[in-house]
Amino acid sequence: MSADAIKLVIVTPERQLLSQSVYDVTLPGAEGELGVLPGHAPLITELGIGQLTYRAKYDATDLPRTGEPVEPTYKPEDFRKRLAIIRGFAEVLGDRVTVLAETAERPEEIDIERAKKALERAEKRISAGSATQDIDWDRATASLQPSTVRLGFS
């Protein structure tokens, strides 16, 4: 692997979603975003709910599908991809980032209608909770986050 790239591996309990050489990674840490470049100091961190982004070389299938031409200043190494990550852990080494996620989804895998319905259910649960003392606020507000992240891809 070249000195300007790192290996990104993303695994869920169901599958290995990705194993690719990338230029950088931004992880949704439990306490905020974490940027990783080649040569990063080793660490293990908890992941929250958010978007994982990475910069990788593109291939012909990654070009914009809108029919819009790519600007002449477009550089292949600037192409960014995104994934939805729902909790987990990441191990960062100088030449590798391994993500063990509860859930990880590519944008094209996200069911937008299902995410909208889940968001509506969570909002109803929270709004109904103000009338009763029996609501678990942490659980209710945490149920909003996955739907919000998934809808961020629409």
Side-chain angles (χ1 to χ4, degrees):
M1 184 167 324
S2 66
D4 65 341
I6 51 180
K7 180 82 164 197
L8 174 60
V9 178
I10 301 174
V11 180
T12 70
E14 293 82 28
R15 64 185 173 155
Q16 179 174 315
L17 185 69
L18 183 75
S19 179
Q20 184 174 359
S21 180
V22 302
Y23 295 106
D24 64 63
V25 181
T26 302
L27 301 165
E31 301 296 324
E33 289 189 343
L34 171 67
V36 179
L37 295 170
H40 195 287
L43 67 91
I44 294 178
T45 188
E46 181 180 2
L47 298 177
I49 299 171
Q51 289 187 16
L52 178 149
T53 64
Y54 60 95
R55 191 166 49 108
K57 280 191 169 179
Y58 74 89
D59 61 31
T61 62
D62 292 326
L63 292 174
R65 290 171 177 75
T66 61
E68 297 175 14
V70 177
E71 294 181 14
T73 57
Y74 182 84
K75 297 176 187 167
E77 62 270 17
D78 290 336
F79 190 77
R80 294 201 73 78
K81 291 191 175 186
R82 306 178 302 155
L83 301 170
I85 298 290
I86 313 288
R87 297 184 195 91
F89 294 90
E91 176 189 44
V92 176
L93 301 173
D95 64 346
R96 181 182 185 98
V97 176
T98 304
V99 173
L100 306 172
E102 287 182 24
T103 303
E105 300 167 315
R106 291 184 175 95
E108 62 271 16
E109 297 171 337
I110 295 171
D111 183 341
I112 298 299
E113 288 306 312
R114 182 175 169 212
K116 286 179 183 176
K117 289 177 184 175
L119 181 63
E120 289 171 10
R121 282 192 308 271
E123 288 172 339
K124 283 181 187 175
R125 199 174 310 129
I126 289 170
S127 64
S130 60
T132 178
Q133 300 294 334
D134 296 335
I135 190 166
D136 180 346
W137 287 104
D138 290 337
R139 185 173 175 209
T141 55
S143 66
L144 281 173
Q145 293 175 308
S147 297
T148 303
V149 167
R150 287 179 173 121
L151 290 173
F153 288 97
S154 62

